[in-house]
Amino acid sequence: MLLMLSAVHCGRTLTQLREQGTLDLPRLSLRRAERVIRRAWKTRHDNVRRHQRQQMKAHAARVVGAMRVAESRQYDNPEEALIRMANLLAMVAHRYAEGRTLQLLDEEQMAGAESVADRSWLRLAVSGLLIVGVLVVLSWADIPEMATGPVVALIITAVLAGVYRGRIPGYHDLIDIFRGADRR
């Protein structure tokens, strides 16, 4: 559903481009669709053998790379880029619905696209280390007990907002990170 909503958003942005021109055109981001593509194989196939899992992860990384190539062309030729992004998203959504997670896009559609590594585990580790480090420093400081709770909550929120750049991971993201780490 999220993939199709992203394709619809591309269509609406294309309509806005044709009506108003490129002056006030917002840049369209496909980050939410990338998360769906990365976990497509986990969602559609519960028990996957190790070699198949590696193939599916590699294919998803190339599909994300193709999406990023299409997304990066918004400044060169926005109309063509939006049409390409909408077509890619619709094809990925269709093949995902069919359960073809190892064929989300064809080779010619991914031509020139490099694999994009998934570094969500790194963000989780960095945020965890920063929070633990700040809590250790906070325990050495002379802060009244009444202020400790709000200060800790503020620090945790600030660290997560800084590491995730305003996008705090949801429980689905955390479960995917842990499921991926569990299967290695």
Side-chain angles (χ1 to χ4, degrees), residues 7-56:
V8 168
H9 191 62
C10 288
R12 288 183 181 154
T13 306
L14 181 62
T15 303
Q16 181 182 356
L17 169 70
R18 289 177 177 163
E19 290 175 357
Q20 299 174 356
T22 59
L23 189 58
D24 294 328
L25 187 68
R27 183 175 182 267
L28 192 63
S29 175
L30 298 178
R31 299 289 181 217
R32 292 174 62 194
E34 287 179 12
R35 287 195 311 268
V36 172
I37 292 168
R38 285 198 188 278
R39 63 180 144 194
W41 67 272
K42 293 178 193 176
T43 307
R44 296 294 295 186
H45 311 289
D46 191 29
N47 291 328
V48 178
R49 294 178 185 236
R50 179 178 290 260
H51 71 279
Q52 291 171 327
R53 186 176 339 132
Q54 294 303 324
Q55 287 177 338
M56 290 180 178

mmCIF file of all heavy atoms in Angstrom, residues 7-56:
data_model
loop_
_atom_site.group_PDB
_atom_site.id
_atom_site.type_symbol
_atom_site.label_atom_id
_atom_site.label_comp_id
_atom_site.label_asym_id
_atom_site.label_seq_id
_atom_site.Cartn_x
_atom_site.Cartn_y
_atom_site.Cartn_z
ATOM 1 N N ALA A 7 3.673 6.131 -5.323
ATOM 2 C CA ALA A 7 3.469 6.329 -6.763
ATOM 3 C C ALA A 7 2.405 7.393 -7.020
ATOM 4 O O ALA A 7 2.563 8.240 -7.917
ATOM 5 C CB ALA A 7 3.084 5.009 -7.425
ATOM 6 N N VAL A 8 1.347 7.376 -6.226
ATOM 7 C CA VAL A 8 0.302 8.398 -6.342
ATOM 8 C C VAL A 8 0.872 9.771 -6.014
ATOM 9 O O VAL A 8 0.568 10.763 -6.679
ATOM 10 C CB VAL A 8 -0.900 8.053 -5.429
ATOM 11 C CG1 VAL A 8 -1.849 9.229 -5.298
ATOM 12 C CG2 VAL A 8 -1.622 6.829 -5.953
ATOM 13 N N HIS A 9 1.735 9.830 -5.016
ATOM 14 C CA HIS A 9 2.373 11.104 -4.654
ATOM 15 C C HIS A 9 3.237 11.620 -5.805
ATOM 16 O O HIS A 9 3.284 12.823 -6.064
ATOM 17 C CB HIS A 9 3.196 10.922 -3.378
ATOM 18 C CG HIS A 9 3.670 12.189 -2.787
ATOM 19 N ND1 HIS A 9 2.823 13.170 -2.326
ATOM 20 C CD2 HIS A 9 4.930 12.664 -2.590
ATOM 21 C CE1 HIS A 9 3.531 14.179 -1.875
ATOM 22 N NE2 HIS A 9 4.820 13.897 -2.028
ATOM 23 N N CYS A 10 3.899 10.704 -6.509
ATOM 24 C CA CYS A 10 4.670 11.098 -7.698
ATOM 25 C C CYS A 10 3.733 11.697 -8.751
ATOM 26 O O CYS A 10 4.062 12.719 -9.375
ATOM 27 C CB CYS A 10 5.397 9.894 -8.294
ATOM 28 S SG CYS A 10 6.776 9.291 -7.341
ATOM 29 N N GLY A 11 2.579 11.075 -8.949
ATOM 30 C CA GLY A 11 1.605 11.590 -9.912
ATOM 31 C C GLY A 11 1.076 12.956 -9.534
ATOM 32 O O GLY A 11 0.932 13.840 -10.388
ATOM 33 N N ARG A 12 0.798 13.155 -8.263
ATOM 34 C CA ARG A 12 0.321 14.469 -7.810
ATOM 35 C C ARG A 12 1.401 15.540 -7.969
ATOM 36 O O ARG A 12 1.104 16.669 -8.349
ATOM 37 C CB ARG A 12 -0.123 14.386 -6.351
ATOM 38 C CG ARG A 12 -1.411 13.629 -6.183
ATOM 39 C CD ARG A 12 -1.874 13.627 -4.752
ATOM 40 N NE ARG A 12 -3.107 12.862 -4.659
ATOM 41 C CZ ARG A 12 -3.509 12.255 -3.560
ATOM 42 N NH1 ARG A 12 -2.784 12.317 -2.462
ATOM 43 N NH2 ARG A 12 -4.636 11.578 -3.552
ATOM 44 N N THR A 13 2.630 15.164 -7.682
ATOM 45 C CA THR A 13 3.728 16.116 -7.852
ATOM 46 C C THR A 13 3.917 16.435 -9.331
ATOM 47 O O THR A 13 4.204 17.583 -9.697
ATOM 48 C CB THR A 13 5.027 15.543 -7.253
ATOM 49 O OG1 THR A 13 4.793 15.173 -5.895
ATOM 50 C CG2 THR A 13 6.150 16.548 -7.308
ATOM 51 N N LEU A 14 3.725 15.453 -10.213
ATOM 52 C CA LEU A 14 3.815 15.683 -11.652
ATOM 53 C C LEU A 14 2.716 16.633 -12.112
ATOM 54 O O LEU A 14 2.968 17.542 -12.915
ATOM 55 C CB LEU A 14 3.724 14.353 -12.399
ATOM 56 C CG LEU A 14 3.835 14.405 -13.921
ATOM 57 C CD1 LEU A 14 5.187 14.958 -14.336
ATOM 58 C CD2 LEU A 14 3.615 13.031 -14.515
ATOM 59 N N THR A 15 1.521 16.456 -11.591
ATOM 60 C CA THR A 15 0.423 17.366 -11.919
ATOM 61 C C THR A 15 0.750 18.778 -11.450
ATOM 62 O O THR A 15 0.520 19.754 -12.180
ATOM 63 C CB THR A 15 -0.887 16.882 -11.263
ATOM 64 O OG1 THR A 15 -1.159 15.556 -11.704
ATOM 65 C CG2 THR A 15 -2.048 17.796 -11.609
ATOM 66 N N GLN A 16 1.284 18.888 -10.257
ATOM 67 C CA GLN A 16 1.683 20.196 -9.724
ATOM 68 C C GLN A 16 2.778 20.813 -10.594
ATOM 69 O O GLN A 16 2.762 22.012 -10.855
ATOM 70 C CB GLN A 16 2.176 20.044 -8.289
ATOM 71 C CG GLN A 16 2.594 21.335 -7.643
ATOM 72 C CD GLN A 16 3.130 21.113 -6.223
ATOM 73 O OE1 GLN A 16 3.118 20.008 -5.711
ATOM 74 N NE2 GLN A 16 3.604 22.184 -5.622
ATOM 75 N N LEU A 17 3.704 20.006 -11.065
ATOM 76 C CA LEU A 17 4.774 20.482 -11.935
ATOM 77 C C LEU A 17 4.201 21.040 -13.233
ATOM 78 O O LEU A 17 4.607 22.116 -13.685
ATOM 79 C CB LEU A 17 5.748 19.335 -12.235
ATOM 80 C CG LEU A 17 6.783 19.571 -13.336
ATOM 81 C CD1 LEU A 17 7.816 20.583 -12.873
ATOM 82 C CD2 LEU A 17 7.442 18.266 -13.732
ATOM 83 N N ARG A 18 3.259 20.324 -13.817
ATOM 84 C CA ARG A 18 2.678 20.759 -15.087
ATOM 85 C C ARG A 18 1.823 22.005 -14.925
ATOM 86 O O ARG A 18 1.730 22.821 -15.838
ATOM 87 C CB ARG A 18 1.866 19.631 -15.702
ATOM 88 C CG ARG A 18 2.755 18.509 -16.208
ATOM 89 C CD ARG A 18 1.976 17.357 -16.755
ATOM 90 N NE ARG A 18 2.872 16.333 -17.304
ATOM 91 C CZ ARG A 18 2.503 15.108 -17.547
ATOM 92 N NH1 ARG A 18 1.251 14.719 -17.307
ATOM 93 N NH2 ARG A 18 3.371 14.239 -18.034
ATOM 94 N N GLU A 19 1.192 22.178 -13.762
ATOM 95 C CA GLU A 19 0.340 23.346 -13.539
ATOM 96 C C GLU A 19 1.121 24.581 -13.103
ATOM 97 O O GLU A 19 0.840 25.682 -13.544
ATOM 98 C CB GLU A 19 -0.721 23.018 -12.477
ATOM 99 C CG GLU A 19 -1.766 22.048 -12.945
ATOM 100 C CD GLU A 19 -2.724 21.659 -11.834
ATOM 101 O OE1 GLU A 19 -2.547 22.092 -10.672
ATOM 102 O OE2 GLU A 19 -3.669 20.891 -12.120
ATOM 103 N N GLN A 20 2.109 24.396 -12.220
ATOM 104 C CA GLN A 20 2.788 25.543 -11.617
ATOM 105 C C GLN A 20 4.222 25.735 -12.091
ATOM 106 O O GLN A 20 4.815 26.772 -11.831
ATOM 107 C CB GLN A 20 2.786 25.406 -10.091
ATOM 108 C CG GLN A 20 1.402 25.357 -9.505
ATOM 109 C CD GLN A 20 1.436 25.068 -8.014
ATOM 110 O OE1 GLN A 20 2.490 24.829 -7.442
ATOM 111 N NE2 GLN A 20 0.268 25.086 -7.395
ATOM 112 N N GLY A 21 4.803 24.744 -12.709
ATOM 113 C CA GLY A 21 6.189 24.854 -13.137
ATOM 114 C C GLY A 21 7.132 24.356 -12.055
ATOM 115 O O GLY A 21 6.732 23.905 -10.989
ATOM 116 N N THR A 22 8.421 24.459 -12.343
ATOM 117 C CA THR A 22 9.435 23.888 -11.451
ATOM 118 C C THR A 22 9.857 24.813 -10.327
ATOM 119 O O THR A 22 10.632 24.414 -9.469
ATOM 120 C CB THR A 22 10.689 23.518 -12.251
ATOM 121 O OG1 THR A 22 11.197 24.700 -12.882
ATOM 122 C CG2 THR A 22 10.396 22.460 -13.272
ATOM 123 N N LEU A 23 9.361 26.019 -10.307
ATOM 124 C CA LEU A 23 9.839 26.994 -9.327
ATOM 125 C C LEU A 23 9.562 26.579 -7.887
ATOM 126 O O LEU A 23 10.457 26.603 -7.048
ATOM 127 C CB LEU A 23 9.211 28.365 -9.606
ATOM 128 C CG LEU A 23 9.776 29.523 -8.805
ATOM 129 C CD1 LEU A 23 11.271 29.651 -9.061
ATOM 130 C CD2 LEU A 23 9.076 30.803 -9.166
ATOM 131 N N ASP A 24 8.359 26.174 -7.590
ATOM 132 C CA ASP A 24 7.982 25.802 -6.220
ATOM 133 C C ASP A 24 7.805 24.304 -6.047
ATOM 134 O O ASP A 24 7.129 23.853 -5.128
ATOM 135 C CB ASP A 24 6.680 26.505 -5.816
ATOM 136 C CG ASP A 24 6.852 28.010 -5.731
ATOM 137 O OD1 ASP A 24 7.965 28.442 -5.378
ATOM 138 O OD2 ASP A 24 5.889 28.740 -6.028
ATOM 139 N N LEU A 25 8.421 23.529 -6.889
ATOM 140 C CA LEU A 25 8.240 22.081 -6.844
ATOM 141 C C LEU A 25 9.012 21.490 -5.666
ATOM 142 O O LEU A 25 10.225 21.676 -5.550
ATOM 143 C CB LEU A 25 8.738 21.448 -8.145
ATOM 144 C CG LEU A 25 8.454 19.975 -8.313
ATOM 145 C CD1 LEU A 25 6.956 19.752 -8.483
ATOM 146 C CD2 LEU A 25 9.205 19.436 -9.506
ATOM 147 N N PRO A 26 8.314 20.780 -4.773
ATOM 148 C CA PRO A 26 9.038 20.145 -3.665
ATOM 149 C C PRO A 26 9.784 18.910 -4.158
ATOM 150 O O PRO A 26 9.345 18.233 -5.083
ATOM 151 C CB PRO A 26 7.916 19.749 -2.696
ATOM 152 C CG PRO A 26 6.723 19.558 -3.577
ATOM 153 C CD PRO A 26 6.880 20.545 -4.706
ATOM 154 N N ARG A 27 10.916 18.644 -3.546
ATOM 155 C CA ARG A 27 11.686 17.453 -3.884
ATOM 156 C C ARG A 27 10.987 16.247 -3.277
ATOM 157 O O ARG A 27 10.647 16.235 -2.102
ATOM 158 C CB ARG A 27 13.099 17.563 -3.345
ATOM 159 C CG ARG A 27 13.944 16.383 -3.735
ATOM 160 C CD ARG A 27 15.372 16.596 -3.292
ATOM 161 N NE ARG A 27 16.195 15.487 -3.719
ATOM 162 C CZ ARG A 27 16.443 14.414 -2.976
ATOM 163 N NH1 ARG A 27 15.937 14.312 -1.770
ATOM 164 N NH2 ARG A 27 17.194 13.445 -3.426
ATOM 165 N N LEU A 28 10.786 15.239 -4.069
ATOM 166 C CA LEU A 28 10.078 14.042 -3.625
ATOM 167 C C LEU A 28 11.081 13.028 -3.099
ATOM 168 O O LEU A 28 12.066 12.717 -3.753
ATOM 169 C CB LEU A 28 9.300 13.453 -4.804
ATOM 170 C CG LEU A 28 8.298 12.381 -4.501
ATOM 171 C CD1 LEU A 28 7.184 12.918 -3.617
ATOM 172 C CD2 LEU A 28 7.712 11.851 -5.778
ATOM 173 N N SER A 29 10.833 12.500 -1.907
ATOM 174 C CA SER A 29 11.719 11.515 -1.298
ATOM 175 C C SER A 29 11.041 10.149 -1.288
ATOM 176 O O SER A 29 9.852 10.035 -1.010
ATOM 177 C CB SER A 29 12.059 11.932 0.130
ATOM 178 O OG SER A 29 12.812 10.933 0.767
ATOM 179 N N LEU A 30 11.829 9.119 -1.572
ATOM 180 C CA LEU A 30 11.311 7.749 -1.596
ATOM 181 C C LEU A 30 11.828 6.930 -0.420
ATOM 182 O O LEU A 30 11.867 5.709 -0.478
ATOM 183 C CB LEU A 30 11.703 7.073 -2.912
ATOM 184 C CG LEU A 30 11.155 7.708 -4.178
ATOM 185 C CD1 LEU A 30 11.652 6.962 -5.404
ATOM 186 C CD2 LEU A 30 9.639 7.738 -4.156
ATOM 187 N N ARG A 31 12.222 7.576 0.667
ATOM 188 C CA ARG A 31 12.793 6.861 1.815
ATOM 189 C C ARG A 31 11.803 5.876 2.431
ATOM 190 O O ARG A 31 12.184 4.780 2.826
ATOM 191 C CB ARG A 31 13.257 7.844 2.894
ATOM 192 C CG ARG A 31 14.329 8.780 2.441
ATOM 193 C CD ARG A 31 15.635 8.063 2.256
ATOM 194 N NE ARG A 31 16.639 9.025 1.853
ATOM 195 C CZ ARG A 31 17.590 8.784 0.994
ATOM 196 N NH1 ARG A 31 17.707 7.605 0.453
ATOM 197 N NH2 ARG A 31 18.453 9.712 0.671
ATOM 198 N N ARG A 32 10.542 6.260 2.513
ATOM 199 C CA ARG A 32 9.551 5.340 3.102
ATOM 200 C C ARG A 32 9.370 4.111 2.222
ATOM 201 O O ARG A 32 9.242 2.987 2.721
ATOM 202 C CB ARG A 32 8.226 6.068 3.295
ATOM 203 C CG ARG A 32 8.323 7.148 4.367
ATOM 204 C CD ARG A 32 7.075 7.961 4.475
ATOM 205 N NE ARG A 32 5.952 7.120 4.848
ATOM 206 C CZ ARG A 32 4.689 7.490 4.772
ATOM 207 N NH1 ARG A 32 4.386 8.695 4.340
ATOM 208 N NH2 ARG A 32 3.725 6.691 5.132
ATOM 209 N N ALA A 33 9.392 4.301 0.917
ATOM 210 C CA ALA A 33 9.278 3.166 0.008
ATOM 211 C C ALA A 33 10.514 2.274 0.105
ATOM 212 O O ALA A 33 10.408 1.051 -0.019
ATOM 213 C CB ALA A 33 9.087 3.662 -1.428
ATOM 214 N N GLU A 34 11.670 2.876 0.336
ATOM 215 C CA GLU A 34 12.899 2.095 0.473
ATOM 216 C C GLU A 34 12.805 1.126 1.649
ATOM 217 O O GLU A 34 13.257 -0.011 1.555
ATOM 218 C CB GLU A 34 14.104 3.016 0.674
ATOM 219 C CG GLU A 34 14.524 3.746 -0.568
ATOM 220 C CD GLU A 34 15.706 4.656 -0.326
ATOM 221 O OE1 GLU A 34 16.347 4.560 0.752
ATOM 222 O OE2 GLU A 34 15.999 5.475 -1.207
ATOM 223 N N ARG A 35 12.236 1.574 2.745
ATOM 224 C CA ARG A 35 12.094 0.685 3.907
ATOM 225 C C ARG A 35 11.201 -0.506 3.583
ATOM 226 O O ARG A 35 11.481 -1.630 3.989
ATOM 227 C CB ARG A 35 11.540 1.464 5.097
ATOM 228 C CG ARG A 35 12.541 2.397 5.714
ATOM 229 C CD ARG A 35 12.110 2.885 7.080
ATOM 230 N NE ARG A 35 10.759 3.388 7.140
ATOM 231 C CZ ARG A 35 10.417 4.667 6.955
ATOM 232 N NH1 ARG A 35 11.326 5.553 6.698
ATOM 233 N NH2 ARG A 35 9.167 5.039 7.053
ATOM 234 N N VAL A 36 10.142 -0.269 2.822
ATOM 235 C CA VAL A 36 9.252 -1.367 2.431
ATOM 236 C C VAL A 36 9.990 -2.342 1.524
ATOM 237 O O VAL A 36 9.872 -3.565 1.680
ATOM 238 C CB VAL A 36 7.992 -0.814 1.724
ATOM 239 C CG1 VAL A 36 7.151 -1.935 1.143
ATOM 240 C CG2 VAL A 36 7.167 0.019 2.688
ATOM 241 N N ILE A 37 10.774 -1.823 0.597
ATOM 242 C CA ILE A 37 11.514 -2.679 -0.333
ATOM 243 C C ILE A 37 12.540 -3.512 0.421
ATOM 244 O O ILE A 37 12.702 -4.702 0.165
ATOM 245 C CB ILE A 37 12.180 -1.822 -1.429
ATOM 246 C CG1 ILE A 37 11.108 -1.209 -2.319
ATOM 247 C CG2 ILE A 37 13.170 -2.641 -2.237
ATOM 248 C CD1 ILE A 37 11.613 -0.123 -3.238
ATOM 249 N N ARG A 38 13.223 -2.895 1.374
ATOM 250 C CA ARG A 38 14.247 -3.619 2.129
ATOM 251 C C ARG A 38 13.664 -4.768 2.949
ATOM 252 O O ARG A 38 14.296 -5.795 3.117
ATOM 253 C CB ARG A 38 14.990 -2.673 3.060
ATOM 254 C CG ARG A 38 15.950 -1.806 2.324
ATOM 255 C CD ARG A 38 16.958 -1.222 3.271
ATOM 256 N NE ARG A 38 17.775 -0.249 2.621
ATOM 257 C CZ ARG A 38 18.829 -0.524 1.878
ATOM 258 N NH1 ARG A 38 19.171 -1.768 1.704
ATOM 259 N NH2 ARG A 38 19.531 0.420 1.319
ATOM 260 N N ARG A 39 12.466 -4.606 3.461
ATOM 261 C CA ARG A 39 11.903 -5.681 4.283
ATOM 262 C C ARG A 39 10.863 -6.514 3.544
ATOM 263 O O ARG A 39 10.158 -7.307 4.145
ATOM 264 C CB ARG A 39 11.354 -5.126 5.585
ATOM 265 C CG ARG A 39 10.223 -4.177 5.465
ATOM 266 C CD ARG A 39 9.780 -3.706 6.828
ATOM 267 N NE ARG A 39 9.395 -2.316 6.684
ATOM 268 C CZ ARG A 39 9.196 -1.493 7.643
ATOM 269 N NH1 ARG A 39 9.333 -1.887 8.866
ATOM 270 N NH2 ARG A 39 8.862 -0.254 7.427
ATOM 271 N N ALA A 40 10.776 -6.359 2.239
ATOM 272 C CA ALA A 40 9.792 -7.119 1.453
ATOM 273 C C ALA A 40 10.010 -8.610 1.588
ATOM 274 O O ALA A 40 9.055 -9.371 1.764
ATOM 275 C CB ALA A 40 9.857 -6.700 -0.014
ATOM 276 N N TRP A 41 11.242 -9.047 1.515
ATOM 277 C CA TRP A 41 11.517 -10.486 1.592
ATOM 278 C C TRP A 41 11.202 -11.034 2.975
ATOM 279 O O TRP A 41 10.797 -12.180 3.106
ATOM 280 C CB TRP A 41 12.965 -10.777 1.206
ATOM 281 C CG TRP A 41 13.982 -10.258 2.170
ATOM 282 C CD1 TRP A 41 14.563 -9.021 2.167
ATOM 283 C CD2 TRP A 41 14.532 -10.949 3.278
ATOM 284 N NE1 TRP A 41 15.438 -8.902 3.218
ATOM 285 C CE2 TRP A 41 15.444 -10.078 3.915
ATOM 286 C CE3 TRP A 41 14.346 -12.221 3.807
ATOM 287 C CZ2 TRP A 41 16.160 -10.436 5.038
ATOM 288 C CZ3 TRP A 41 15.074 -12.573 4.936
ATOM 289 C CH2 TRP A 41 15.972 -11.687 5.531
ATOM 290 N N LYS A 42 11.351 -10.211 4.022
ATOM 291 C CA LYS A 42 11.027 -10.666 5.379
ATOM 292 C C LYS A 42 9.517 -10.782 5.563
ATOM 293 O O LYS A 42 9.030 -11.683 6.238
ATOM 294 C CB LYS A 42 11.559 -9.677 6.415
ATOM 295 C CG LYS A 42 13.040 -9.596 6.493
ATOM 296 C CD LYS A 42 13.416 -8.540 7.527
ATOM 297 C CE LYS A 42 14.863 -8.171 7.432
ATOM 298 N NZ LYS A 42 15.223 -7.092 8.343
ATOM 299 N N THR A 43 8.815 -9.847 4.963
ATOM 300 C CA THR A 43 7.368 -9.812 5.127
ATOM 301 C C THR A 43 6.689 -10.931 4.341
ATOM 302 O O THR A 43 5.772 -11.571 4.831
ATOM 303 C CB THR A 43 6.823 -8.449 4.648
ATOM 304 O OG1 THR A 43 7.535 -7.412 5.317
ATOM 305 C CG2 THR A 43 5.353 -8.317 4.945
ATOM 306 N N ARG A 44 7.161 -11.168 3.118
ATOM 307 C CA ARG A 44 6.508 -12.149 2.255
ATOM 308 C C ARG A 44 6.948 -13.586 2.524
ATOM 309 O O ARG A 44 6.209 -14.517 2.258
ATOM 310 C CB ARG A 44 6.783 -11.815 0.783
ATOM 311 C CG ARG A 44 6.212 -10.503 0.322
ATOM 312 C CD ARG A 44 4.738 -10.486 0.329
ATOM 313 N NE ARG A 44 4.229 -11.435 -0.650
ATOM 314 C CZ ARG A 44 2.969 -11.572 -0.960
ATOM 315 N NH1 ARG A 44 2.084 -10.826 -0.383
ATOM 316 N NH2 ARG A 44 2.592 -12.456 -1.836
ATOM 317 N N HIS A 45 8.176 -13.777 3.000
ATOM 318 C CA HIS A 45 8.714 -15.125 3.177
ATOM 319 C C HIS A 45 9.286 -15.238 4.588
ATOM 320 O O HIS A 45 10.289 -14.617 4.899
ATOM 321 C CB HIS A 45 9.815 -15.406 2.154
ATOM 322 C CG HIS A 45 9.439 -15.057 0.755
ATOM 323 N ND1 HIS A 45 8.521 -15.782 0.024
ATOM 324 C CD2 HIS A 45 9.831 -14.046 -0.056
ATOM 325 C CE1 HIS A 45 8.387 -15.234 -1.162
ATOM 326 N NE2 HIS A 45 9.167 -14.183 -1.240
ATOM 327 N N ASP A 46 8.660 -16.056 5.406
ATOM 328 C CA ASP A 46 9.079 -16.161 6.800
ATOM 329 C C ASP A 46 10.355 -16.979 6.965
ATOM 330 O O ASP A 46 11.317 -16.535 7.553
ATOM 331 C CB ASP A 46 7.943 -16.754 7.646
ATOM 332 C CG ASP A 46 8.204 -16.636 9.120
ATOM 333 O OD1 ASP A 46 8.896 -15.680 9.524
ATOM 334 O OD2 ASP A 46 7.722 -17.498 9.874
ATOM 335 N N ASN A 47 10.361 -18.184 6.452
ATOM 336 C CA ASN A 47 11.539 -19.053 6.574
ATOM 337 C C ASN A 47 12.261 -19.121 5.237
ATOM 338 O O ASN A 47 11.802 -19.765 4.304
ATOM 339 C CB ASN A 47 11.131 -20.463 7.009
ATOM 340 C CG ASN A 47 10.633 -20.476 8.442
ATOM 341 O OD1 ASN A 47 11.102 -19.680 9.254
ATOM 342 N ND2 ASN A 47 9.703 -21.356 8.739
ATOM 343 N N VAL A 48 13.397 -18.445 5.182
ATOM 344 C CA VAL A 48 14.184 -18.394 3.961
ATOM 345 C C VAL A 48 15.572 -18.927 4.286
ATOM 346 O O VAL A 48 16.149 -18.601 5.324
ATOM 347 C CB VAL A 48 14.286 -16.943 3.435
ATOM 348 C CG1 VAL A 48 15.140 -16.876 2.195
ATOM 349 C CG2 VAL A 48 12.904 -16.391 3.162
ATOM 350 N N ARG A 49 16.100 -19.744 3.402
ATOM 351 C CA ARG A 49 17.454 -20.264 3.609
ATOM 352 C C ARG A 49 18.476 -19.144 3.471
ATOM 353 O O ARG A 49 18.220 -18.140 2.828
ATOM 354 C CB ARG A 49 17.745 -21.363 2.599
ATOM 355 C CG ARG A 49 16.872 -22.562 2.820
ATOM 356 C CD ARG A 49 17.158 -23.593 1.762
ATOM 357 N NE ARG A 49 16.235 -24.689 1.894
ATOM 358 C CZ ARG A 49 16.616 -25.936 2.043
ATOM 359 N NH1 ARG A 49 17.886 -26.247 2.063
ATOM 360 N NH2 ARG A 49 15.719 -26.886 2.154
ATOM 361 N N ARG A 50 19.644 -19.377 4.071
ATOM 362 C CA ARG A 50 20.672 -18.346 4.132
ATOM 363 C C ARG A 50 21.070 -17.832 2.743
ATOM 364 O O ARG A 50 21.165 -16.627 2.526
ATOM 365 C CB ARG A 50 21.901 -18.864 4.854
ATOM 366 C CG ARG A 50 23.022 -17.849 4.931
ATOM 367 C CD ARG A 50 24.184 -18.392 5.694
ATOM 368 N NE ARG A 50 23.884 -18.526 7.093
ATOM 369 C CZ ARG A 50 24.265 -17.660 8.009
ATOM 370 N NH1 ARG A 50 24.968 -16.620 7.660
ATOM 371 N NH2 ARG A 50 23.963 -17.837 9.264
ATOM 372 N N HIS A 51 21.297 -18.719 1.784
ATOM 373 C CA HIS A 51 21.734 -18.262 0.460
ATOM 374 C C HIS A 51 20.622 -17.488 -0.248
ATOM 375 O O HIS A 51 20.878 -16.528 -0.957
ATOM 376 C CB HIS A 51 22.234 -19.430 -0.396
ATOM 377 C CG HIS A 51 21.158 -20.355 -0.861
ATOM 378 N ND1 HIS A 51 20.637 -21.339 -0.064
ATOM 379 C CD2 HIS A 51 20.503 -20.433 -2.044
ATOM 380 C CE1 HIS A 51 19.710 -21.996 -0.736
ATOM 381 N NE2 HIS A 51 19.603 -21.466 -1.929
ATOM 382 N N GLN A 52 19.359 -17.890 -0.036
ATOM 383 C CA GLN A 52 18.246 -17.155 -0.623
ATOM 384 C C GLN A 52 18.095 -15.793 0.041
ATOM 385 O O GLN A 52 17.791 -14.799 -0.621
ATOM 386 C CB GLN A 52 16.951 -17.950 -0.475
ATOM 387 C CG GLN A 52 16.917 -19.202 -1.318
ATOM 388 C CD GLN A 52 15.721 -20.060 -0.981
ATOM 389 O OE1 GLN A 52 15.270 -20.107 0.166
ATOM 390 N NE2 GLN A 52 15.203 -20.754 -1.978
ATOM 391 N N ARG A 53 18.315 -15.736 1.349
ATOM 392 C CA ARG A 53 18.225 -14.489 2.083
ATOM 393 C C ARG A 53 19.252 -13.488 1.550
ATOM 394 O O ARG A 53 18.936 -12.320 1.346
ATOM 395 C CB ARG A 53 18.445 -14.752 3.571
ATOM 396 C CG ARG A 53 18.220 -13.555 4.424
ATOM 397 C CD ARG A 53 18.346 -13.837 5.913
ATOM 398 N NE ARG A 53 18.175 -15.230 6.260
ATOM 399 C CZ ARG A 53 18.988 -15.912 7.048
ATOM 400 N NH1 ARG A 53 20.036 -15.330 7.574
ATOM 401 N NH2 ARG A 53 18.757 -17.176 7.342
ATOM 402 N N GLN A 54 20.466 -13.960 1.304
ATOM 403 C CA GLN A 54 21.513 -13.084 0.779
ATOM 404 C C GLN A 54 21.149 -12.578 -0.619
ATOM 405 O O GLN A 54 21.370 -11.406 -0.936
ATOM 406 C CB GLN A 54 22.867 -13.813 0.757
ATOM 407 C CG GLN A 54 23.397 -14.154 2.125
ATOM 408 C CD GLN A 54 23.545 -12.946 3.027
ATOM 409 O OE1 GLN A 54 23.893 -11.872 2.582
ATOM 410 N NE2 GLN A 54 23.241 -13.124 4.301
ATOM 411 N N GLN A 55 20.575 -13.446 -1.448
ATOM 412 C CA GLN A 55 20.142 -13.024 -2.780
ATOM 413 C C GLN A 55 19.038 -11.982 -2.688
ATOM 414 O O GLN A 55 19.043 -10.987 -3.419
ATOM 415 C CB GLN A 55 19.625 -14.227 -3.580
ATOM 416 C CG GLN A 55 20.681 -15.174 -4.047
ATOM 417 C CD GLN A 55 20.061 -16.374 -4.756
ATOM 418 O OE1 GLN A 55 18.888 -16.707 -4.552
ATOM 419 N NE2 GLN A 55 20.864 -17.043 -5.565
ATOM 420 N N MET A 56 18.089 -12.202 -1.791
ATOM 421 C CA MET A 56 16.975 -11.269 -1.650
ATOM 422 C C MET A 56 17.437 -9.925 -1.104
ATOM 423 O O MET A 56 16.969 -8.877 -1.552
ATOM 424 C CB MET A 56 15.886 -11.878 -0.772
ATOM 425 C CG MET A 56 15.166 -13.007 -1.449
ATOM 426 S SD MET A 56 13.889 -13.700 -0.379
ATOM 427 C CE MET A 56 13.197 -14.924 -1.450
#
